Amino acid sequence: MTDYTGLTYAFTDELVERVPEVEMASRYCEGISTMVVMDDQFVSVKVVAVDKNFFKMFPYLEFVDGGPDGIESTSNVIVGETLARTYDLKVGQTIRENNQDYVITGILKDNRNTVFKYTVLIVNDRHSVNWAAYEMPYDRYIA
């Protein structure tokens, strides 16, 4: 079995529920690579899965356009500024991954002074993941 750092998907909910001192927790899973289709071009991107609390916990992350609210829907994505500039992507455009369309709802400003390196952010919320995801490792941020 592969060794992972991080905790299982369900840990965040359990922690908030069982430990009153924890005000908020967020899921963050980095390192997934996939191919997306943008204007008939196949592009390899790194995907970072987050939940809706991520941007509440890290409010210093700025948006060039749009904002974090769209991340609550599993049919939306937030793209990084460099990716948006390279492929002339705009809020409201659609990209396709694995026969699923995603609407761009935000363009996140590149931030060189963070450990969060990303090309595309997607929500990874409990209603949209299969049960196997509950066993996968996620990094957690707790406030």
Side-chain angles (χ1 to χ4, degrees), residues 55-76:
F55 293 102
K56 293 176 186 172
M57 291 189 76
F58 301 99
Y60 61 85
L61 296 172
E62 298 177 45
F63 285 80
V64 174
D65 195 11
D69 294 339
I71 205 69
E72 293 186 30
S73 170
T74 58
S75 61
N76 295 336

Side-chain angles (χ1 to χ4, degrees), residues 45-101:
V45 296
K46 180 177 177 183
V47 177
V48 174
V50 301
D51 66 9
K52 64 183 180 180
N53 286 337
F54 182 79
F55 293 102
K56 293 176 186 172
M57 291 189 76
F58 301 99
Y60 61 85
L61 296 172
E62 298 177 45
F63 285 80
V64 174
D65 195 11
D69 294 339
I71 205 69
E72 293 186 30
S73 170
T74 58
S75 61
N76 295 336
V77 295
I78 295 172
V79 299
E81 182 180 14
T82 298
L83 182 69
R85 194 173 37 245
T86 302
Y87 295 97
D88 195 30
L89 300 174
K90 308 275 190 259
V91 168
Q93 283 184 285
T94 301
I95 62 175
R96 177 170 277 263
E97 189 269 333
N98 199 23
N99 294 319
Q100 171 73 34
D101 288 336

Side-chain angles (χ1 to χ4, degrees), residues 121-141:
L121 294 177
I122 63 169
V123 69
N124 196 339
D125 99 22
R126 177 173 248 158
H127 302 293
S128 65
V129 295
N130 62 37
W131 286 102
Y134 285 86
E135 301 302 321
M136 293 173 56
Y138 286 78
D139 290 326
R140 300 289 186 263
Y141 298 94

